[in-house]
């Protein structure tokens, strides 16, 4: 893209505060831009406006008490974070959840992943100036929220998983609704493609914009769909299969050059793959208990540590728990994917236009509270 | 796997057998743990860099007797994650990894503001998530409510 | 009224009555358009739009207007106060003038000047000055960026706009609206000048800062562009001016390319001319809204490239071909 623009003349540089109050910074993010006309000379993301100290809170709470915090770290894929935390503690303690619980968790987690991607789709298009797809996505997303609300009792911050199972069993209505949703979502792809993917303005706004290639991703620790768009098939669900992901037949969509268009395609395809996982999980869903009965409320893991990585909607996420044998974690660190994804913007945003900065910021799909923790 | 084995081989030569501890069944989520003296950290991370690893996560642990910085290195292959652990006294210094990994720019800033570990050679040690003028070190066990402040061997001994 | 027109003071009376009608019409029209836009947006987006105030929310914009009037007029501390106050007035005044020459019907032109078309373009370019003044005076970087973008965009799109209009003028040999419309009694110019019509409509979209060319006020990039700092009725004036501008460009398109008050191919079907005129104009307005709620926004450099590299050569070529055909055929 850069060669298309004339060589910028570094004369009258000025700085522009993009945020913390701005329509498209997705939360309270501030990017301090040094501009030359409309060209960005330097971009310095300033984060921390939403710092709540989740890691410190983790040290002050029992493992179970920290569960609600996890879904507030990234409020758009809260269930995935619950799930990951559960798995980390189970691995540390040695709790084995029953089969049915594993499947329920996977189904709900994948539903949550789709809802997160749908929201990204809508807001990204809104960043590009198209308002309508946003409401189409929200219409679909609402279905997921209803389904998950029915089973977990909340729409965003689920806290649905428990050590050794889930809080509540799913019933036939849930299965029916989920199947109906998957069917409905599949019938909507055509609308999305007609409205957005084939739109010539959209293609021109995204092709070759904000290229994050493999080398850049490696230097900045970029993961998730942003990395896969660069052509690296790296997905925790395949590379280090946790839960029951190794029993499903699904693909990892990859892009070619890592521009915004690739990222868009990868996420769209990922939703379809999540649909496949959900369908297979529903087909294989075993009967039996939905939670392990003999789990103490105050879990006491043995001394030691665990680093558990899983794939959240935005990339590779990990909990690093250190236990001293008490019911309180000695250290509870969360590796969040948006941290690296946002950091690489300092490099990517250089020599682009303000309009592209917004587009790139939207295309990497950050959730700022997740970075701030 | 190949990248991991290559790193293990080179680190064995560099640090000796005792510094490396394997974890065959991946129970802790890492395949090898490498205990590194602070001085040789840049070389060790350089080995990782050459093998195509990225700096996945970096965090600190506060013990009564010492601070410990844990680097989790990973590459795009199954079961390749390795932990690099560096001990550092409470007022000590650790060489910065910013020359090798750009992601360390922010991650070191985070560890610096939360634990007070100085990274020698970091170009821009400003607080990242905390307010610009903060002097507290919130993740040290001397700050706020804590349930336990232990010696390192109480957990890892 | 016909009596008044025939006596000596008739010309003046006609003008005064006309002006009052223009004021009323332009205000009502703008209010209606705002409502229509929200309704169109709603129905495109699987929702209803305003439904609460009045039947199908018809009175919503009036209530919004009252709210805007009641709001505090905030002037930023470091703004250029005089210019800041003048800008909204500056943007709203010129948009009233074109109504004087718009041919609503065979008898419904307030002043059928022989430079009518020129007058409209002269006054509609005025709004860009107001935007520049408003953006500059706000002393806000977003507003300034919006103003700069607006000026560049208007300069770039004025040229193909006028060139495409020129090819119609060449065919009629007149700038007078009544003659331009009369020439289309049999066949509308959109069939004779399809390229010019399309170029005109694209440029008109850009001239009125409408999506997908709404970069001067690009919400997701520049917060609100040139009117970021404006509040209350000052903002309301920018808003009303935008919608009145839309009406004007669509009305001009109707009279230049869609046969004005004429029905298709000379058949009026017994419907009065003014109804034909308004129906066509509102259809074009609907198309503008349709654009806005369907397309993403183009980027600034793409917008400029499109004008300078595609539209201007194409409209030049169109003008040349028109001239050659008129000369030799």
């Amino acid at each position: 893209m850069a060669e298309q623009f004339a060589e910028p003349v570094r004369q009258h540089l000025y700085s522009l505060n993009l945020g913390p109050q701005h329509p498209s910074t997705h939360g309270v993010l501030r990017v301090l831009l040094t501009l030359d006309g409309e060209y960005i000379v330097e971009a310095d993301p300033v984060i921390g406006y939403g710092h709540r100290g989740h890691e410190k809170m983790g040290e002050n709470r029992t493992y179970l008490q920290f569960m609600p915090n996890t879904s507030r770290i990234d409020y758009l894929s809260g269930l995935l974070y619950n799930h990951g935390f559960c798995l980390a503690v189970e691995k540390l303690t040695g709790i084995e959840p029953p089969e049915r619980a594993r499947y329920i968790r996977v189904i709900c987690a994948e539903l949550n992943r789709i809802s997160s991607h749908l929201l990204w789709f809508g807001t990204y298009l809104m960043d590009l100036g198209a308002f309508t797809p946003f409401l189409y996505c929200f219409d679909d997303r609402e279905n997921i929220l209803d389904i998950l609300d029915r089973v977990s009792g909340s729409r965003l911050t689920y806290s649905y998983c428990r050590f050794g199972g889930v809080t509540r069993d799913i019933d036939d209505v849930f299965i029916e609704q989920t199947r109906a949703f998957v069917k409905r979502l599949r019938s909507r792809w055509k609308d999305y493609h007609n409205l957005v993917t084939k739109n010539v303005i959209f293609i021109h706004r995204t092709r070759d914009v904000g290229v994050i290639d493999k080398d850049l991703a490696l230097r900045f620790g970029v993961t998730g769909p942003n990395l896969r768009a660069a052509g690296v098939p790296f997905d925790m669900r395949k590379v280090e299969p946790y839960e029951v992901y190794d029993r499903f037949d699904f693909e990892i969509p990859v892009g070619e050059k890592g521009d915004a268009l690739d990222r868009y395609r990868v996420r769209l395809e990922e939703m379809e793959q999540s649909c496949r996982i959900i369908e297979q999980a529903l087909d294989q869903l075993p009967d039996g208990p939905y939670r392990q009965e003999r789990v103490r409320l105050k879990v006491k893991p043995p001394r030691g540590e665990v680093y558990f990585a899983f794939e959240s909607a935005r990339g590779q996420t990990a909990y690093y728990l250190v236990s001293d044998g008490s019911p309180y974690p000695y250290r509870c660190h969360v590796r969040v994917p948006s941290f690296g994804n946002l950091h690489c913007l300092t490099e990517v945003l250089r020599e682009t236009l303000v309009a592209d900065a917004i587009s790139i910021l939207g295309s990497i799909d950050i959730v700022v509270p997740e970075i701030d923790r | 796997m190949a990248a991991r084995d290559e790193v293990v081989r080179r680190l064995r030569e560099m640090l000796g057998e005792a510094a490396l501890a394997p974890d065959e069944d991946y129970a802790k989520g890492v395949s090898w743990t490498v205990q590194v003296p602070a001085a040789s950290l840049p070389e060790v991370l350089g080995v990782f860099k050459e093998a195509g690893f990225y700096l996945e996560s970096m965090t600190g642990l506060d013990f009564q007797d010492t601070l410990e910085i844990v680097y989790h290195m990973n590459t795009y292959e199954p079961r390749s994650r390795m932990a690099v652990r560096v001990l550092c006294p409470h007022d000590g210094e650790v060489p910065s990894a910013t020359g090798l990994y750009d992601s360390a720019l922010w991650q070191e800033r985070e560890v610096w503001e939360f634990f007070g570990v100085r990274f020698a050679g970091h170009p821009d040690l400003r607080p990242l998530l905390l307010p610009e003028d903060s002097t507290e070190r919130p993740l040290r066990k001397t700050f706020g409510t804590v349930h336990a402040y232990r010696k390192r061997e109480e957990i890892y001994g | 009224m016909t009596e008044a027109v025939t006596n000596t003071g008739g010309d003046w009376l006609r003008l005064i009555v006309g002006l009052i009608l223009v004021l009323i019409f332009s205000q009502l029209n703008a209010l209606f358009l705002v409502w229509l836009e929200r309704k169109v947006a709603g129905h495109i987006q699987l929702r209803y739009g305003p439904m609460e105030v009045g039947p199908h929310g018809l009175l919503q914009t009036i209530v919004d207007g009252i709210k805007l009037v009641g709001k505090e007029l905030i002037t930023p501390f470091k703004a250029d106060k005089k210019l800041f106050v003048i800008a909204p007035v500056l943007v709203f005044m010129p948009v009233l003038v074109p109504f004087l020459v718009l041919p609503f019907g065979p008898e419904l032109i307030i002043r059928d000047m022989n430079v009518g078309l020129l007058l409209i373009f002269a006054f509609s370019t005025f709004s860009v000055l107001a935007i520049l003044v408003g953006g500059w005076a706000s002393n806000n970087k977003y507003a300034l960026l919006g103003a700069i973008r607006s000026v560049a965009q208007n300069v770039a799109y004025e040229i193909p706009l006028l060139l495409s209009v020129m090819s119609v003028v060449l065919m009629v040999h007149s700038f007078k609206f009544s003659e331009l419309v009369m020439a289309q009694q049999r066949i509308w110019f959109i069939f004779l000048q399809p390229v010019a019509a399309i170029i005109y409509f694209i440029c008109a979209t850009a001239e009125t800062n409408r999506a997908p060319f709404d970069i001067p006020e690009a919400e997701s990039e520049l917060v609100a562009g040139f009117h970021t700092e404006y509040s209350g009725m000052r903002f309301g004036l920018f808003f009303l001016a935008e919608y009145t501008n839309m009406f004007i460009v669509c009305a001009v398109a109707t009279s230049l390319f869609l046969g004005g008050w004429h029905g298709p191919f000379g058949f009026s079907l017994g419907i009065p001319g003014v109804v034909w005129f308004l129906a066509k104009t509102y259809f074009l307005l609907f198309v503008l809204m349709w654009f806005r709620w369907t397309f993403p926004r183009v980027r600034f450099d793409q917008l400029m490239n499109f004008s300078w590299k595609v539209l201007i050569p194409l409209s030049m070529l169109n003008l040349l071909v028109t001239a050659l055909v008129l000369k030799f055929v």
Side-chain angles (χ1 to χ4, degrees):
Chain A
M1 195 89 258
E3 72 271 3
Q4 180 182 327
F5 305 134
E7 186 64 33
V9 189
R10 301 276 159 71
Q11 270 184 330
H12 303 288
L13 298 185
Y14 65 102
S15 53
L16 178 73
N17 263 318
L18 196 76
Q21 277 88 35
H22 188 280
S24 20
T25 48
H26 301 265
V28 264
L29 166 71
R30 173 173 148 218
V31 187
L32 192 55
L33 297 173
T34 308
L35 294 177
D36 176 23
E38 282 217 18
Y39 291 93
I40 295 167
V41 178
E42 213 178 312
D44 182 20
V46 181
I47 56 177
Y49 287 89
H51 177 62
R52 292 149 291 171
H54 278 304
E55 292 185 7
K56 186 74 180 178
M57 278 191 250
E59 293 172 14
N60 294 334
R61 282 160 167 67
T62 63
Y63 290 90
L64 188 60
Q65 280 172 338
F66 188 63
M67 181 69 77
N69 284 55
T70 57
S71 52
R72 281 159 181 81
I73 294 174
D74 172 3
Y75 50 78
L76 292 182
S77 56
L79 220 156
L80 291 161
Y81 271 69
N82 288 159
H83 188 195
F85 184 65
C86 249
L87 289 168
V89 175
E90 280 166 9
K91 197 168 182 182
L92 189 62
T93 324
I95 302 168
E96 282 289 325
E99 283 288 286
R100 186 177 172 84
R102 289 170 181 270
Y103 277 90
I104 295 173
R105 285 179 189 178
V106 166
I107 294 166
C108 293
E110 291 306 315
L111 277 175
N112 198 203
R113 190 186 309 274
I114 296 176
S115 92
S116 172
H117 279 352
L118 277 176
L119 188 120
W120 165 82
F121 182 88
T123 48
Y124 178 46
L125 266 295
M126 193 121 115
D127 289 347
L128 290 178
F131 198 91
T132 303
F134 180 73
L135 283 126
Y136 275 63
C137 293
F138 265 58
D139 187 33
D140 288 338
R141 183 169 173 266
E142 201 63 20
N143 280 295
I144 302 182
L145 296 190
D146 284 344
I147 294 172
L148 290 180
D149 181 22
R150 217 182 137 268
V151 69
S152 75
S154 109
R155 284 160 56 87
L156 268 184
T157 48
Y158 304 100
S159 308
Y160 179 51
C161 302
R162 286 291 180 275
F163 310 130
V166 290
T167 48
R168 232 173 292 177
D169 200 2
I170 58 173
D171 54 7
D172 292 341
V173 183
F174 174 90
I175 295 171
E176 207 174 286
Q177 280 178 341
T178 311
R179 280 193 195 280
F181 167 75
V182 170
K183 203 174 156 206
R184 177 195 145 104
L185 192 65
R186 289 226 167 101
S187 71
R188 299 275 281 192
W189 294 141
K190 210 176 86 204
D191 282 351
Y192 288 178
H193 288 311
N194 281 336
L195 194 59
V196 181
T197 319
K198 293 179 192 162
N199 187 316
V200 67
I201 298 177
F202 172 76
I203 293 171
H204 278 273
R205 280 300 302 275
T206 51
R207 191 195 288 149
D208 295 328
V209 169
V211 177
I212 301 176
D213 57 15
K214 196 182 163 185
D215 172 59
L216 193 71
L218 192 82
R219 278 194 286 135
F220 283 99
V222 176
T223 50
N226 301 325
L227 174 66
R228 294 193 278 276
V232 184
F234 185 64
D235 187 320
M236 282 293 127
R237 291 174 293 173
K238 278 270 191 208
V239 177
E240 291 172 15
Y242 52 92
E243 205 71 300
V244 286
Y245 278 111
D246 47 354
R247 300 181 199 171
F248 305 125
D249 170 32
F250 66 101
E251 281 146 31
I252 305 174
V254 287
E256 279 159 24
K257 50 190 171 186
D259 56 1
L261 189 59
D262 275 343
R263 293 197 278 278
Y264 167 86
R265 287 201 180 118
V266 163
R267 286 210 178 84
L268 222 57
E269 185 54 35
E270 249 174 49
M271 285 195 259
E272 170 57 30
Q273 297 302 331
S274 289
C275 286
R276 283 179 67 189
I277 295 175
I278 291 170
E279 279 188 331
Q280 292 173 45
L282 284 174
D283 289 339
Q284 299 174 15
L285 185 71
D287 284 328
Y290 64 94
R291 66 187 296 179
Q292 166 77 263
E293 288 302 331
R294 290 195 311 275
V295 176
R296 294 172 52 171
L297 217 51
K298 266 192 172 180
V299 192
K300 258 190 180 172
R303 276 187 298 165
E305 62 168 31
V306 70
Y307 185 93
F308 183 79
F310 60 99
E311 192 75 18
S312 87
R314 264 149 279 279
Q316 188 194 18
T317 315
Y319 286 101
Y320 178 52
L321 298 172
V322 178
S323 164
D324 57 354
S326 73
Y328 302 90
Y330 191 74
R331 176 85 176 94
C332 170
H333 172 67
V334 194
R335 191 261 181 208
V336 287
S338 292
F339 196 80
N341 294 357
L342 179 71
H343 190 190
C344 82
L345 282 196
T346 48
E347 198 109 325
V348 178
L349 288 187
R350 246 173 240 156
E351 311 283 307
T352 58
L353 286 160
V354 175
D356 273 343
I358 302 291
S359 158
I360 297 165
L361 197 63
S363 75
I364 58 164
D365 187 18
I366 47 161
V367 168
V368 180
E370 177 190 71
I371 303 168
D372 295 343
R373 275 165 287 161
Chain B
M1 289 297 192
R4 192 189 80 191
D5 295 339
E6 169 69 14
V7 168
V8 171
R9 190 185 59 77
R10 287 189 57 186
L11 288 184
R12 266 207 192 110
E13 282 170 18
M14 196 185 287
L15 303 164
E17 188 65 47
L20 282 91
D23 180 1
E24 294 298 340
D25 51 357
Y26 220 55
K28 289 176 187 168
V30 289
S31 55
W32 291 82
T33 304
V34 192
Q35 198 73 45
V36 176
S40 54
L41 182 69
E43 295 152 49
V44 171
L45 292 182
V47 171
F48 281 104
K49 168 97 179 168
E50 278 163 35
F53 276 64
Y54 67 95
L55 179 53
E56 184 179 304
S57 153
M58 176 174 172
T59 190
L61 297 171
D62 184 19
F63 301 107
Q64 263 178 18
D65 45 348
T66 177
L67 282 172
E68 183 166 25
I69 317 293
V70 187
Y71 300 75
H72 284 101
M73 313 298 296
N74 200 354
T75 186
Y76 308 133
E77 286 168 14
R79 294 200 161 198
S80 304
R81 189 177 300 107
M82 292 174 73
V84 175
R85 308 181 77 104
V86 181
L87 292 178
C88 158
H90 277 107
D91 51 355
E93 250 186 13
V94 173
S96 166
T98 45
L100 294 161
Y101 290 101
D102 289 312
S103 51
L105 278 168
W106 277 17
Q107 286 174 329
E108 283 177 3
R109 272 170 75 181
E110 194 192 326
V111 175
W112 149 249
E113 65 181 344
F114 282 118
F115 290 94
V117 181
R118 266 194 308 282
F119 288 92
H122 190 289
D124 181 26
L125 268 187
R126 288 175 291 148
L128 182 69
L129 299 177
L130 297 177
E132 286 148 30
D133 53 351
S134 78
T135 49
E136 305 284 1
R137 301 285 170 237
L139 282 182
R140 282 214 181 169
K141 294 284 181 184
T142 45
F143 178 88
T145 331
V146 283
H147 275 280
Y149 195 18
R150 293 180 192 279
K151 287 201 161 62
R152 186 167 185 274
E153 54 263 31
E154 287 180 63
I155 293 173
Y156 291 103
Chain C
M1 185 165 152
T2 27
E3 222 176 275
V5 171
T6 47
N7 64 39
T8 42
D11 225 22
W12 278 104
L13 196 60
R14 188 186 167 91
L15 200 60
I16 290 166
V17 172
L19 272 175
I20 294 168
L21 283 179
V22 161
L23 269 176
I24 295 171
F25 177 75
S26 62
Q27 293 302 307
L28 283 181
N29 172 64
L31 290 179
F32 175 71
L33 280 181
V34 173
W35 172 82
L36 186 69
E37 171 115 87
R38 294 179 64 177
K39 271 311 211 197
V40 168
H43 284 280
I44 287 179
Q45 296 169 350
L46 315 168
R47 56 193 177 89
Y48 290 113
M51 284 299 274
E52 292 297 319
V53 193
H56 284 265
L58 254 176
L59 302 177
Q60 181 69 47
T61 39
I62 296 173
V63 181
D64 283 349
I66 293 169
K67 180 201 75 177
L68 278 180
V69 170
K71 279 201 160 181
E72 187 190 354
L73 293 173
I74 297 166
T75 311
F77 181 60
K78 289 209 168 165
D80 187 330
K81 302 241 165 27
K82 273 182 215 143
L83 290 182
F84 188 78
V85 175
I86 288 172
V89 185
L90 215 54
V91 78
F92 194 67
M93 270 200 321
V95 300
L96 293 179
V97 180
F99 279 95
L100 293 178
V101 292
L102 278 181
F104 287 92
E107 298 301 323
L108 262 176
I109 313 177
I110 296 162
R111 293 289 283 193
D112 192 13
M113 293 183 195
N114 53 4
V115 289
L117 193 58
L118 275 186
L119 184 96
I120 286 192
F121 288 119
F123 272 94
S124 65
T125 44
F126 214 70
S127 67
V128 66
L129 174 71
I131 289 176
L132 180 63
V133 168
W136 168 259
S138 302
N139 200 5
N140 174 315
K141 282 167 190 163
Y142 288 116
L144 186 61
L145 276 175
I148 293 169
R149 284 177 171 198
S150 181
V151 172
Q153 177 178 352
N154 271 272
V155 169
Y157 277 82
E158 206 94 305
I159 299 166
L161 183 84
L162 288 174
L163 284 175
S164 64
V165 167
M166 269 306 135
S167 40
V168 174
V169 172
L170 263 187
M171 291 173 73
V172 187
H173 294 285
S174 172
F175 281 114
K176 208 172 185 175
F177 266 113
S178 57
E179 286 175 17
L180 283 164
V181 176
M182 285 312 286
Q184 303 180 60
Q185 194 160 9
R186 289 268 160 259
I187 185 156
W188 297 354
F189 281 157
I190 189 169
F191 300 114
L192 301 177
Q193 289 282 4
V195 179
I198 292 168
I199 292 176
Y200 174 85
F201 202 62
I202 293 174
C203 296
T205 318
E207 279 286 300
T208 46
N209 299 338
R210 293 283 299 179
F213 306 117
D214 61 341
I215 54 165
E217 45 196 294
E219 183 185 81
S220 54
E221 295 156 24
L222 300 183
V223 189
F226 58 89
H227 57 68
T228 304
E229 295 288 352
Y230 281 94
S231 61
M233 209 49 211
R234 285 183 191 151
F235 161 75
L237 284 180
F238 275 113
F239 204 57
L240 289 180
E242 186 193 323
Y243 280 92
T244 316
N245 252 329
M246 274 168 66
F247 181 83
I248 291 165
V249 293
C250 288
V252 172
T254 308
S255 14
L256 288 185
F257 297 105
L258 293 181
W261 62 72
H262 293 301
F265 305 106
F267 302 112
S268 71
L269 308 172
I271 299 168
V274 62
V275 176
W276 273 116
F277 181 84
L278 287 179
K280 285 183 241 177
T281 307
Y282 278 110
F283 172 72
L284 288 182
L285 283 165
F286 170 73
V287 175
L288 274 187
M289 291 170 186
W290 194 357
F291 280 179
R292 173 163 177 191
W293 300 110
T294 309
F295 291 134
R297 187 180 301 118
V298 296
R299 204 174 53 210
F300 189 57
D301 58 313
Q302 291 167 347
L303 180 90
M304 294 313 237
N305 280 343
F306 186 56
S307 173
W308 292 103
K309 292 183 183 165
V310 180
L311 288 182
I312 291 179
L314 204 62
S315 52
M316 283 283 261
L317 199 68
N318 188 54
L319 186 62
L320 202 67
V321 171
T322 311
L324 288 175
V325 169
L326 283 177
K327 181 79 182 166
F328 295 112
V329 179

